[in-house]
Amino acid sequence: KQWYQRRVRASCSLNILPWNEIANYVLIVVSEGPVYQVLYCVALLKHLETRLLHHSTQHSLLYDTLEEPVEGFVLVNYLDYMLTLDRELGVMLRKDLADINMSCVGDK
C-alpha cells in the first residue's frame, strides 16, 4: 500500500497534472489552507469520475491512475464546486484536519 501511495504522489508531480495546474494547486493550498487541499482532490476526482468508473470495470484502474495524465482538468472550472463544498463541509473538514493534526503532534 505504501509503495502505491508514494508512486501516486510522485506521479502527480511528474506526469499526472500539467505544470500550470500543479502551480494552481500549490497557490490555492498556500492561500486558502489545507481544507482546499482536500477540496482540490475531490474536484479532481469529480473530473475523473467517468474515467475512473470505466477503468474500474475494465480492471485497469491501477495502470490508469499511475500512468495516464489527467486531461482537461482546469481548476477555475471547479472553483464554484469547491466553494459549494467548502460552504457545506468546510467546518467539518477543518475540525477533522485539526483533530488529525493534534493526533500527529501527540504521536511525537
Side-chain angles (χ1 to χ4, degrees):
K1 182 178 174 181
Q2 289 180 347
W3 71 266
Y4 176 74
Q5 292 170 344
R6 282 192 302 269
R7 179 77 191 265
V8 169
R9 283 194 303 265
S11 294
C12 285
S13 62
L14 296 176
N15 72 335
I16 298 297
L17 291 172
W19 283 108
N20 62 323
E21 285 307 318
I22 293 170
N24 287 338
Y25 167 79
V26 170
L27 287 172
I28 200 161
V29 171
V30 167
S31 66
E32 299 298 325
V35 167
Y36 275 79
Q37 184 175 19
V38 174
L39 297 177
Y40 187 96
C41 292
V42 171
L44 188 58
L45 288 170
K46 180 162 183 60
H47 174 75
L48 294 171
E49 181 177 20
T50 302
R51 179 172 139 182
L52 292 172
L53 289 172
H54 169 75
H55 284 284
S56 67
T57 61
Q58 301 298 315
H59 306 290
S60 59
L61 186 58
L62 181 63
Y63 171 80
D64 183 67
T65 304
L66 296 176
E67 304 295 332
E68 294 297 317
V70 173
E71 294 180 6
F73 181 80
V74 179
L75 176 62
V76 72
N77 295 339
Y78 288 88
L79 279 177
D80 286 339
Y81 176 67
M82 291 170 68
L83 290 169
T84 299
L85 288 176
D86 190 18
R87 280 190 300 274
E88 294 174 2
L89 304 172
V91 171
M92 179 190 66
L93 284 172
R94 284 173 182 79
K95 181 188 177 309
D96 289 347
L97 289 172
D99 290 346
I100 291 169
N101 189 34
M102 290 305 293
S103 69
C104 290
V105 169
D107 290 342
K108 290 183 180 181

